[in-house]
Amino acid sequence: MERLETLLTAALMDTQVGGESVLASMKIAVLPIAKVFTMCFLGFLMASKYVNILPANGRKLLNGLVFSLLLPCLIFSQLGQAITLKKMIQWWFIPMNVVLAAISGSIIGFIVATIVRPPYPFFKFTIIHIGIGNIGNVPLVLISALCRDQNNPFGDSETCSTDGTAYISFGQWVGAIILYTYVFDMLAPPPEGTFDIDELNLPTRNPLEGSARSVTNTAPEKVPLLTQPEAQPNPDPVKKGKIRETLEYLYEKLKIKQILQPPIIASILAMGFGVVPFFKKLIFTSEGPLFFFTDSCIILGEAMIPCILLALGGNLVNGPGSSKLGLKTTAAIIFARLVLVPPTGLGIVMLADKLGFLPAGDKMFRFVLLLQHTMPTSVLSGAVANLRGCGREAAAVLFWVHIFAILSMAGWITLYLNILF
């Protein structure tokens, strides 16, 4: 009888401890989301018509400041301090995980788009907005909010923030390449030349004799990069070859310019200087003669999180706007991105861990890998969509997916913390 009472008491104690553990995990997971939501709401309030001290032009300038200065400063200082040649070799799975996230997400997007059948011509659009998540800004915000808590499970707040930021920054260059190659091509306008197609009166392709006029009158996002020239009576092969080579050269240069955005340049410089001991001691250590530059970047980088959240909240003030996607397609994108994609990412990361691809005992490393599969649709994919002529639909998707992501991220982060700890 005494033995039975002992067993029951032990079981009750385990249940209480387990319950406290789950509650603690939920608290740790929900608090960063609550902080993000609070700052976004303040940005929304500042941009509303009742306050109006953060109008559209102000938000545009703030976004430009974040993207061109504050985010590169944060990446350069944190990644440069953390990275070494040995760590770069150990971290090889981070960029691989970004590629695998894009592939697995696109496969899920293709399956969902096949089932849902979005309105023409938004099939590829649906795939992209399910498959490509935010691997930069939102994870950086979450890591910063999580590490500020002294009771965070990853230990020292400074080490937690530095390592988390370095891991996220290390994968951003791969994300930029995917964005400006794969995403850019997938979001190309349909053969009709525009996404603004009336389903009851689809435009037909112009005849050959009207092609020159049609290209002239179309918007920039509708004009192909390499147009088919009209037939000439006696073309000069040498001249034609030179023109083609020039156009191809400009095309390649344009792609390089698109990929080499300020955050990517900051990542490359941080990795280049950080892996060389001489430059690392010169720039990134507190005793180095050029550490004042890194310290200045640290100060500027600390302003990135509040600024980007204020801008993100302000961008939601106009609501989702009008969209041709329809409720069914929009709901399918949100559900697939926030509910179907994360379990696939969890499987990828756990398999990589079983195969020994991840640094042993580094839980922050695994947490960042999981976050890369859990984030809402990439804001930069919305920028590319705007370039390609479907920005209105992208804005609607981004609005709703970020609203529902507040709930989904809290749930997934709770699960990840319970798995890791």
Side-chain angles (χ1 to χ4, degrees), residues 42-155:
L42 290 175
F44 178 86
L45 186 63
M46 295 299 102
S48 67
K49 63 180 180 180
Y50 302 104
V51 181
N52 198 29
I53 64 172
L54 197 61
N57 290 336
R59 297 195 300 273
K60 184 177 180 181
L61 292 173
L62 189 58
N63 279 320
L65 181 66
V66 168
F67 184 73
S68 301
L69 178 64
L70 303 184
L71 179 58
C73 284
L74 179 69
I75 291 173
F76 181 80
S77 59
Q78 300 292 341
L79 181 59
Q81 287 180 306
I83 200 166
T84 62
L85 184 59
K86 182 180 178 180
K87 287 184 177 180
M88 184 180 287
I89 297 172
Q90 291 177 342
W91 296 355
W92 69 271
F93 192 77
I94 293 178
M96 178 61 68
N97 189 60
V98 175
V99 175
L100 292 174
I103 293 173
S104 61
S106 296
I107 292 173
I108 294 173
F110 177 80
I111 295 171
V112 171
T114 303
I115 296 171
V116 174
R117 294 183 179 179
Y120 181 82
F122 294 103
F123 188 87
K124 292 182 179 179
F125 176 95
T126 303
I127 295 174
I128 289 299
H129 282 74
I130 292 174
I132 305 300
N134 191 319
I135 62 167
N137 298 341
V138 177
L140 284 173
V141 169
L142 286 175
I143 291 294
S144 175
L146 180 64
C147 293
R148 285 179 65 87
D149 190 347
Q150 296 296 328
N151 297 322
N152 78 82
F154 297 101

Side-chain angles (χ1 to χ4, degrees), residues 203-260:
T204 57
R205 304 183 77 172
N206 292 322
L208 181 62
E209 60 269 20
S211 61
R213 185 178 69 253
S214 117
V215 170
T216 303
N217 294 332
T218 51
E221 69 272 6
K222 305 169 191 173
V223 179
L225 292 172
L226 294 175
T227 57
Q228 182 67 32
E230 293 184 2
Q232 299 294 331
N234 292 310
D236 185 359
V238 177
K239 186 177 180 181
K240 184 178 178 181
K242 288 183 179 179
I243 293 174
R244 183 174 180 178
E245 288 178 2
T246 303
L247 289 173
E248 289 177 350
Y249 174 76
L250 291 175
Y251 176 76
E252 293 298 325
K253 291 292 286 184
L254 180 64
K255 280 296 182 71
I256 292 173
K257 185 178 179 180
Q258 288 173 337
I259 293 172
L260 291 180

Side-chain angles (χ1 to χ4, degrees), residues 7-20:
L7 289 173
L8 289 173
T9 303
L12 182 61
M13 291 289 292
D14 288 343
T15 303
Q16 291 176 346
V17 171
E20 291 176 1

